[in-house]
């Protein structure tokens, strides 16, 4: 019984090491595109969100 648990723990450790190495390898390939602007960096989006929040607050106040 003890030999079986040792084999299990060793094989589990090998699987964990292989999995973490695959995850680490996947994180190395990072594509950084500095010329592209994301949607949340656009000032028009922030103005639209601010207008929406102001309208939401005004509508909430009128319902009382």
């Amino acid at each position: 019984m003890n030999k079986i648990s040792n084999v299990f723990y060793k094989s589990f450790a090998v699987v964990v090491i292989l999995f973490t190495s695959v995850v680490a390898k996947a994180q190395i390939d990072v594509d950084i595109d500095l010329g592209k602007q994301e949607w949340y960096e656009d000032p028009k989006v922030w103005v639209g969100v601010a207008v929406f929040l102001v309208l939401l607050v005004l509508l909430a106040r009128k319902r009382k």
Side-chain angles (χ1 to χ4, degrees), residues 20-55:
T20 55
S21 67
V22 168
V23 171
K25 174 91 170 130
Q27 290 179 358
I28 291 174
D29 188 21
V30 177
D31 184 21
I32 299 174
D33 189 9
L34 297 176
K36 184 178 176 186
Q37 187 177 18
E38 297 291 335
W39 65 269
Y40 51 82
E41 295 175 343
D42 191 8
K44 296 174 192 172
V45 173
W46 289 105
V47 170
V49 169
V51 168
F52 174 75
L53 290 176
V54 168
L55 289 174

